Amino acid sequence: MNHLEQSNKTILVAPLNWGLGHATRCIPIIQALLDHNYVPIIASDGNALELLRKEFPYIQMLALPSYHIEYSKTDKYFKWKMLISIPKIIKAVLAEKKLIQQWITKYEIDGIISDNRLGIYSAKIPSVYLTHQINVLSGNTTWFSTQCHRYFIKKHNECWVPDVAQDPNLTGNLGHVKNTSLNIKYIGPLSRMKQKELNKKYDLMVVLSGPEPQRSLLEEKLKNEVLKYKGKVIFIKGIVEKTQQNETFKNVTFYNFMNTKQLEQTFNESDLVLCRSGYTTVMDLVALQKKAFFIPTPGQYEQLYLAKKLENEGLLPFSLQEDFCIEDLSKINNFSGLPKIDFKTNWNDLFKVFEKM
């Protein structure tokens, strides 16, 4: 069957609400589903659901239970905070499993794409798991966290990794493993952004994201630092609210959030980017071919790994949050920037999984 002549199968897309990266990298997937005549239904919670509601106001939205993931104020207690969150996560996963079985019948769902939501799968219909972490780094508990994650990945028909299979690649040890029984497909980097040739409007673009309280802690730190910057700054706080707000103070223009179209334009109008080293941000920077400086979220091993990897490869510099000062941005001049990756995602081939049952 030609995928451009589909029979309007309904596909549930369910990203994790942990920062905004899981939701934003699902945007090109949702758009591809629409382009191939599938009917997407979006399920998530919190800011992730609100962001997707603004992007796709005409698509049906369903609310999932929150994982209630909490970060500590210091990376020293990050793992402890995650451990005590496990009972709440398990409760949410069990609730998800119950809901999905009801929804399959109620909404006549034909397939599932889960972005790191552990309870969103079914043996009744084709299920796909989207992740860039086949290996889950957690310090001295890496083996355990990896095995736990793979336990859930195996419940799906396929595992889509938004990266390329060969070297050089973006995820390194996170998304690549030599021997595995997992049905992995490398689908290429995903980004809702496109590079455009626009006149420079800002010398520095600050983009914040991620869970609290670390997002707010970085916001407070950078608010003071950017005032010392000799240049025009645009500062997007990453707070999804009902209405967009902006204000200008000295050399800095602040926004609470931007939609995809506004963000894409602002990225293309900016010279440098200061941001977290979340993987979705890395993919956006590849698509936009922008030089950046990273500040990994304290305690988040994955972001620290990515920042170190990219710095060691001479691509982009980083600093720990407690050490950062605005003068560090000058280090960007010593790095080459992220490589352009020419990979065209074959959606026709990927979506065949939903035609098997």
Side-chain angles (χ1 to χ4, degrees), residues 266-309:
T266 305
F267 266 114
N268 281 294
E269 291 175 336
S270 301
D271 190 25
L272 304 176
V273 180
L274 176 60
C275 55
R276 294 291 195 196
S277 52
Y279 186 58
T280 299
T281 303
V282 172
M283 292 192 290
D284 287 341
L285 292 170
V286 168
L288 295 159
Q289 286 295 282
K290 284 292 173 183
K291 282 198 167 187
F293 191 100
F294 286 137
I295 303 177
T297 301
Q300 195 160 334
Y301 291 90
E302 166 228 358
Q303 287 197 14
L304 184 59
Y305 169 81
L306 286 171
K308 285 182 176 179
K309 174 185 182 293

Tab-separated table of all heavy atoms in Angstrom, residues 266-309:
chain	number	residue	atom	x	y	z
A	266	THR	N	14.034	33.561	15.317
A	266	THR	CA	14.971	34.160	16.267
A	266	THR	C	16.321	33.443	16.246
A	266	THR	O	17.377	34.089	16.298
A	266	THR	CB	14.383	34.136	17.690
A	266	THR	OG1	13.099	34.782	17.668
A	266	THR	CG2	15.279	34.893	18.659
A	267	PHE	N	16.303	32.122	16.168
A	267	PHE	CA	17.555	31.371	16.032
A	267	PHE	C	18.335	31.855	14.813
A	267	PHE	O	19.536	32.113	14.881
A	267	PHE	CB	17.273	29.871	15.871
A	267	PHE	CG	17.317	29.098	17.159
A	267	PHE	CD1	16.161	28.507	17.671
A	267	PHE	CD2	18.502	28.921	17.848
A	267	PHE	CE1	16.201	27.765	18.847
A	267	PHE	CE2	18.550	28.187	19.024
A	267	PHE	CZ	17.395	27.613	19.522
A	268	ASN	N	17.634	31.974	13.687
A	268	ASN	CA	18.285	32.360	12.442
A	268	ASN	C	18.747	33.812	12.445
A	268	ASN	O	19.634	34.180	11.667
A	268	ASN	CB	17.346	32.103	11.259
A	268	ASN	CG	17.314	30.638	10.855
A	268	ASN	OD1	18.303	30.090	10.385
A	268	ASN	ND2	16.172	29.982	11.048
A	269	GLU	N	18.168	34.642	13.311
A	269	GLU	CA	18.562	36.048	13.410
A	269	GLU	C	19.637	36.286	14.470
A	269	GLU	O	20.073	37.400	14.666
A	269	GLU	CB	17.339	36.912	13.758
A	269	GLU	CG	16.308	37.006	12.641
A	269	GLU	CD	15.061	37.762	13.067
A	269	GLU	OE1	14.781	37.818	14.284
A	269	GLU	OE2	14.363	38.300	12.193
A	270	SER	N	20.056	35.198	15.150
A	270	SER	CA	21.014	35.327	16.253
A	270	SER	C	22.389	34.799	15.849
A	270	SER	O	22.507	33.840	15.086
A	270	SER	CB	20.500	34.564	17.483
A	270	SER	OG	19.245	35.070	17.895
A	271	ASP	N	23.425	35.438	16.401
A	271	ASP	CA	24.794	35.051	16.088
A	271	ASP	C	25.225	33.835	16.901
A	271	ASP	O	25.684	32.832	16.363
A	271	ASP	CB	25.733	36.234	16.362
A	271	ASP	CG	27.136	35.981	15.840
A	271	ASP	OD1	27.284	35.177	14.902
A	271	ASP	OD2	28.091	36.586	16.374
A	272	LEU	N	25.050	33.904	18.237
A	272	LEU	CA	25.451	32.830	19.143
A	272	LEU	C	24.274	32.386	19.996
A	272	LEU	O	23.342	33.164	20.227
A	272	LEU	CB	26.591	33.289	20.057
A	272	LEU	CG	27.860	33.821	19.387
A	272	LEU	CD1	28.833	34.326	20.451
A	272	LEU	CD2	28.510	32.758	18.516
A	273	VAL	N	24.352	31.139	20.503
A	273	VAL	CA	23.283	30.587	21.341
A	273	VAL	C	23.878	30.085	22.656
A	273	VAL	O	24.927	29.439	22.664
A	273	VAL	CB	22.560	29.427	20.629
A	273	VAL	CG1	21.441	28.866	21.507
A	273	VAL	CG2	22.015	29.872	19.274
A	274	LEU	N	23.197	30.412	23.761
A	274	LEU	CA	23.571	29.919	25.088
A	274	LEU	C	22.402	29.080	25.602
A	274	LEU	O	21.275	29.582	25.698
A	274	LEU	CB	23.847	31.093	26.030
A	274	LEU	CG	24.158	30.778	27.500
A	274	LEU	CD1	25.397	29.895	27.625
A	274	LEU	CD2	24.339	32.074	28.296
A	275	CYS	N	22.649	27.811	25.940
A	275	CYS	CA	21.531	26.917	26.236
A	275	CYS	C	22.000	25.680	27.002
A	275	CYS	O	23.194	25.482	27.229
A	275	CYS	CB	20.855	26.492	24.942
A	275	CYS	SG	22.005	25.731	23.761
A	276	ARG	N	21.049	24.847	27.383
A	276	ARG	CA	21.329	23.540	27.965
A	276	ARG	C	21.863	22.617	26.859
A	276	ARG	O	21.685	22.888	25.668
A	276	ARG	CB	20.067	22.924	28.563
A	276	ARG	CG	19.488	23.665	29.761
A	276	ARG	CD	20.375	23.550	30.966
A	276	ARG	NE	19.708	23.931	32.214
A	276	ARG	CZ	20.349	24.201	33.333
A	276	ARG	NH1	21.678	24.138	33.372
A	276	ARG	NH2	19.692	24.522	34.428
A	277	SER	N	22.450	21.497	27.291
A	277	SER	CA	22.965	20.533	26.317
A	277	SER	C	22.044	19.334	26.183
A	277	SER	O	22.497	18.200	26.017
A	277	SER	CB	24.373	20.074	26.708
A	277	SER	OG	24.413	19.627	28.055
A	278	GLY	N	20.728	19.581	26.251
A	278	GLY	CA	19.760	18.517	26.004
A	278	GLY	C	19.850	18.060	24.561
A	278	GLY	O	20.192	18.846	23.660
A	279	TYR	N	19.512	16.807	24.313
A	279	TYR	CA	19.728	16.256	22.975
A	279	TYR	C	18.854	16.913	21.912
A	279	TYR	O	19.289	17.089	20.763
A	279	TYR	CB	19.530	14.745	22.965
A	279	TYR	CG	19.883	14.151	21.627
A	279	TYR	CD1	21.164	14.316	21.097
A	279	TYR	CD2	18.939	13.465	20.870
A	279	TYR	CE1	21.495	13.798	19.851
A	279	TYR	CE2	19.268	12.937	19.629
A	279	TYR	CZ	20.545	13.110	19.123
A	279	TYR	OH	20.877	12.605	17.892
A	280	THR	N	17.636	17.289	22.264
A	280	THR	CA	16.778	17.962	21.287
A	280	THR	C	17.394	19.288	20.866
A	280	THR	O	17.351	19.658	19.686
A	280	THR	CB	15.364	18.176	21.858
A	280	THR	OG1	14.788	16.910	22.165
A	280	THR	CG2	14.471	18.888	20.854
A	281	THR	N	17.986	20.001	21.804
A	281	THR	CA	18.662	21.259	21.482
A	281	THR	C	19.837	21.009	20.546
A	281	THR	O	20.067	21.767	19.595
A	281	THR	CB	19.153	21.952	22.766
A	281	THR	OG1	18.029	22.168	23.635
A	281	THR	CG2	19.805	23.280	22.460
A	282	VAL	N	20.590	19.937	20.807
A	282	VAL	CA	21.713	19.576	19.929
A	282	VAL	C	21.205	19.361	18.498
A	282	VAL	O	21.796	19.861	17.524
A	282	VAL	CB	22.436	18.316	20.444
A	282	VAL	CG1	23.476	17.833	19.429
A	282	VAL	CG2	23.112	18.594	21.784
A	283	MET	N	20.093	18.626	18.352
A	283	MET	CA	19.540	18.369	17.018
A	283	MET	C	19.084	19.654	16.348
A	283	MET	O	19.271	19.832	15.134
A	283	MET	CB	18.386	17.363	17.114
A	283	MET	CG	18.824	15.959	17.518
A	283	MET	SD	17.530	14.702	17.313
A	283	MET	CE	16.378	15.184	18.616
A	284	ASP	N	18.490	20.572	17.109
A	284	ASP	CA	18.076	21.859	16.550
A	284	ASP	C	19.278	22.659	16.062
A	284	ASP	O	19.245	23.268	14.982
A	284	ASP	CB	17.305	22.675	17.600
A	284	ASP	CG	15.904	22.145	17.864
A	284	ASP	OD1	15.379	21.400	17.012
A	284	ASP	OD2	15.341	22.466	18.925
A	285	LEU	N	20.352	22.654	16.839
A	285	LEU	CA	21.556	23.406	16.466
A	285	LEU	C	22.202	22.822	15.207
A	285	LEU	O	22.762	23.565	14.392
A	285	LEU	CB	22.555	23.408	17.624
A	285	LEU	CG	22.128	24.208	18.863
A	285	LEU	CD1	23.080	23.935	20.024
A	285	LEU	CD2	22.086	25.708	18.552
A	286	VAL	N	22.124	21.490	15.048
A	286	VAL	CA	22.627	20.859	13.827
A	286	VAL	C	21.825	21.349	12.621
A	286	VAL	O	22.384	21.719	11.585
A	286	VAL	CB	22.557	19.317	13.933
A	286	VAL	CG1	22.792	18.668	12.573
A	286	VAL	CG2	23.588	18.808	14.926
A	287	ALA	N	20.500	21.363	12.766
A	287	ALA	CA	19.628	21.793	11.667
A	287	ALA	C	19.859	23.259	11.316
A	287	ALA	O	19.836	23.644	10.141
A	287	ALA	CB	18.170	21.567	12.038
A	288	LEU	N	20.092	24.085	12.336
A	288	LEU	CA	20.240	25.526	12.139
A	288	LEU	C	21.669	25.951	11.846
A	288	LEU	O	21.909	27.077	11.431
A	288	LEU	CB	19.755	26.259	13.400
A	288	LEU	CG	18.266	26.122	13.716
A	288	LEU	CD1	17.999	26.419	15.177
A	288	LEU	CD2	17.450	27.052	12.816
A	289	GLN	N	22.620	25.024	12.093
A	289	GLN	CA	24.047	25.318	11.905
A	289	GLN	C	24.468	26.561	12.681
A	289	GLN	O	25.094	27.481	12.146
A	289	GLN	CB	24.366	25.458	10.417
A	289	GLN	CG	24.394	24.123	9.669
A	289	GLN	CD	25.522	23.216	10.168
A	289	GLN	OE1	26.669	23.405	9.818
A	289	GLN	NE2	25.182	22.234	10.994
A	290	LYS	N	24.117	26.562	13.984
A	290	LYS	CA	24.449	27.674	14.871
A	290	LYS	C	25.527	27.273	15.860
A	290	LYS	O	25.520	26.163	16.396
A	290	LYS	CB	23.201	28.121	15.643
A	290	LYS	CG	22.218	28.930	14.815
A	290	LYS	CD	22.815	30.272	14.447
A	290	LYS	CE	21.926	31.033	13.471
A	290	LYS	NZ	22.559	32.311	13.059
A	291	LYS	N	26.447	28.187	16.129
A	291	LYS	CA	27.437	27.968	17.174
A	291	LYS	C	26.797	28.243	18.528
A	291	LYS	O	25.955	29.141	18.654
A	291	LYS	CB	28.645	28.872	16.969
A	291	LYS	CG	29.592	28.387	15.878
A	291	LYS	CD	30.955	29.055	16.009
A	291	LYS	CE	31.987	28.363	15.150
A	291	LYS	NZ	33.354	28.896	15.389
A	292	ALA	N	27.195	27.469	19.528
A	292	ALA	CA	26.534	27.576	20.833
A	292	ALA	C	27.506	27.313	21.968
A	292	ALA	O	28.608	26.783	21.774
A	292	ALA	CB	25.371	26.588	20.902
A	293	PHE	N	27.056	27.685	23.163
A	293	PHE	CA	27.773	27.385	24.407
A	293	PHE	C	26.773	26.664	25.310
A	293	PHE	O	25.646	27.122	25.493
A	293	PHE	CB	28.255	28.676	25.078
A	293	PHE	CG	29.226	28.438	26.208
A	293	PHE	CD1	30.590	28.585	26.028
A	293	PHE	CD2	28.771	28.060	27.470
A	293	PHE	CE1	31.491	28.362	27.059
A	293	PHE	CE2	29.648	27.818	28.510
A	293	PHE	CZ	31.015	27.984	28.308
A	294	PHE	N	27.220	25.529	25.882
A	294	PHE	CA	26.322	24.692	26.675
A	294	PHE	C	26.551	24.859	28.174
A	294	PHE	O	27.684	24.988	28.635
A	294	PHE	CB	26.522	23.213	26.338
A	294	PHE	CG	25.957	22.793	25.010
A	294	PHE	CD1	26.679	21.951	24.174
A	294	PHE	CD2	24.705	23.212	24.606
A	294	PHE	CE1	26.157	21.540	22.956
A	294	PHE	CE2	24.180	22.814	23.396
A	294	PHE	CZ	24.902	21.974	22.565
A	295	ILE	N	25.442	24.796	28.924
A	295	ILE	CA	25.474	24.682	30.387
A	295	ILE	C	24.602	23.474	30.743
A	295	ILE	O	23.371	23.579	30.779
A	295	ILE	CB	24.943	25.950	31.085
A	295	ILE	CG1	25.734	27.173	30.654
A	295	ILE	CG2	25.006	25.769	32.608
A	295	ILE	CD1	25.221	28.487	31.253
A	296	PRO	N	25.195	22.288	30.957
A	296	PRO	CA	24.394	21.098	31.269
A	296	PRO	C	23.596	21.267	32.557
A	296	PRO	O	24.036	21.950	33.484
A	296	PRO	CB	25.453	19.991	31.434
A	296	PRO	CG	26.705	20.538	30.834
A	296	PRO	CD	26.641	22.019	30.975
A	297	THR	N	22.427	20.633	32.611
A	297	THR	CA	21.624	20.638	33.825
A	297	THR	C	22.381	19.887	34.924
A	297	THR	O	22.787	18.743	34.718
A	297	THR	CB	20.264	19.955	33.594
A	297	THR	OG1	19.571	20.644	32.551
A	297	THR	CG2	19.419	19.972	34.857
A	298	PRO	N	22.603	20.505	36.082
A	298	PRO	CA	23.350	19.843	37.163
A	298	PRO	C	22.739	18.494	37.544
A	298	PRO	O	21.532	18.388	37.745
A	298	PRO	CB	23.236	20.839	38.321
A	298	PRO	CG	23.074	22.164	37.658
A	298	PRO	CD	22.234	21.892	36.443
A	299	GLY	N	23.591	17.475	37.589
A	299	GLY	CA	23.140	16.147	37.983
A	299	GLY	C	22.618	15.294	36.858
A	299	GLY	O	22.411	14.096	37.030
A	300	GLN	N	22.394	15.898	35.677
A	300	GLN	CA	21.853	15.125	34.567
A	300	GLN	C	23.020	14.572	33.748
A	300	GLN	O	23.618	15.253	32.918
A	300	GLN	CB	20.924	15.972	33.690
A	300	GLN	CG	20.082	15.120	32.764
A	300	GLN	CD	18.855	15.838	32.254
A	300	GLN	OE1	18.364	16.755	32.903
A	300	GLN	NE2	18.339	15.437	31.110
A	301	TYR	N	23.341	13.303	33.982
A	301	TYR	CA	24.518	12.664	33.400
A	301	TYR	C	24.511	12.716	31.878
A	301	TYR	O	25.551	12.880	31.246
A	301	TYR	CB	24.600	11.200	33.858
A	301	TYR	CG	24.917	11.033	35.324
A	301	TYR	CD1	23.903	10.977	36.275
A	301	TYR	CD2	26.236	10.923	35.763
A	301	TYR	CE1	24.188	10.818	37.625
A	301	TYR	CE2	26.539	10.762	37.101
A	301	TYR	CZ	25.500	10.711	38.034
A	301	TYR	OH	25.798	10.557	39.370
A	302	GLU	N	23.320	12.551	31.292
A	302	GLU	CA	23.208	12.538	29.835
A	302	GLU	C	23.655	13.868	29.240
A	302	GLU	O	24.416	13.915	28.267
A	302	GLU	CB	21.750	12.240	29.461
A	302	GLU	CG	21.405	12.514	28.015
A	302	GLU	CD	20.121	13.312	27.868
A	302	GLU	OE1	19.479	13.613	28.894
A	302	GLU	OE2	19.761	13.624	26.729
A	303	GLN	N	23.203	14.977	29.833
A	303	GLN	CA	23.575	16.293	29.302
A	303	GLN	C	25.061	16.580	29.496
A	303	GLN	O	25.707	17.172	28.627
A	303	GLN	CB	22.735	17.390	29.963
A	303	GLN	CG	21.299	17.413	29.496
A	303	GLN	CD	20.597	18.730	29.818
A	303	GLN	OE1	21.225	19.728	30.156
A	303	GLN	NE2	19.284	18.724	29.710
A	304	LEU	N	25.606	16.160	30.622
A	304	LEU	CA	27.039	16.358	30.864
A	304	LEU	C	27.853	15.522	29.869
A	304	LEU	O	28.861	15.996	29.332
A	304	LEU	CB	27.392	15.980	32.299
A	304	LEU	CG	28.849	16.220	32.719
A	304	LEU	CD1	29.228	17.682	32.567
A	304	LEU	CD2	29.072	15.758	34.158
A	305	TYR	N	27.409	14.296	29.612
A	305	TYR	CA	28.099	13.437	28.649
A	305	TYR	C	28.110	14.087	27.267
A	305	TYR	O	29.153	14.135	26.590
A	305	TYR	CB	27.432	12.062	28.575
A	305	TYR	CG	27.929	11.233	27.420
A	305	TYR	CD1	29.128	10.528	27.517
A	305	TYR	CD2	27.214	11.177	26.217
A	305	TYR	CE1	29.610	9.777	26.432
A	305	TYR	CE2	27.687	10.443	25.140
A	305	TYR	CZ	28.882	9.745	25.254
A	305	TYR	OH	29.360	9.030	24.180
A	306	LEU	N	26.940	14.563	26.821
A	306	LEU	CA	26.859	15.183	25.496
A	306	LEU	C	27.749	16.419	25.404
A	306	LEU	O	28.444	16.625	24.409
A	306	LEU	CB	25.403	15.561	25.181
A	306	LEU	CG	24.457	14.414	24.838
A	306	LEU	CD1	23.016	14.908	24.769
A	306	LEU	CD2	24.848	13.761	23.509
A	307	ALA	N	27.735	17.252	26.461
A	307	ALA	CA	28.553	18.473	26.469
A	307	ALA	C	30.039	18.123	26.391
A	307	ALA	O	30.797	18.732	25.620
A	307	ALA	CB	28.252	19.297	27.715
A	308	LYS	N	30.465	17.148	27.183
A	308	LYS	CA	31.871	16.727	27.171
A	308	LYS	C	32.256	16.128	25.821
A	308	LYS	O	33.341	16.394	25.283
A	308	LYS	CB	32.134	15.712	28.283
A	308	LYS	CG	32.206	16.311	29.682
A	308	LYS	CD	32.518	15.230	30.711
A	308	LYS	CE	32.681	15.833	32.105
A	308	LYS	NZ	32.960	14.782	33.123
A	309	LYS	N	31.384	15.283	25.263
A	309	LYS	CA	31.645	14.647	23.978
A	309	LYS	C	31.865	15.696	22.898
A	309	LYS	O	32.842	15.634	22.137
A	309	LYS	CB	30.465	13.743	23.596
A	309	LYS	CG	30.555	13.128	22.196
A	309	LYS	CD	29.287	12.358	21.868
A	309	LYS	CE	29.358	11.681	20.501
A	309	LYS	NZ	29.394	12.637	19.383
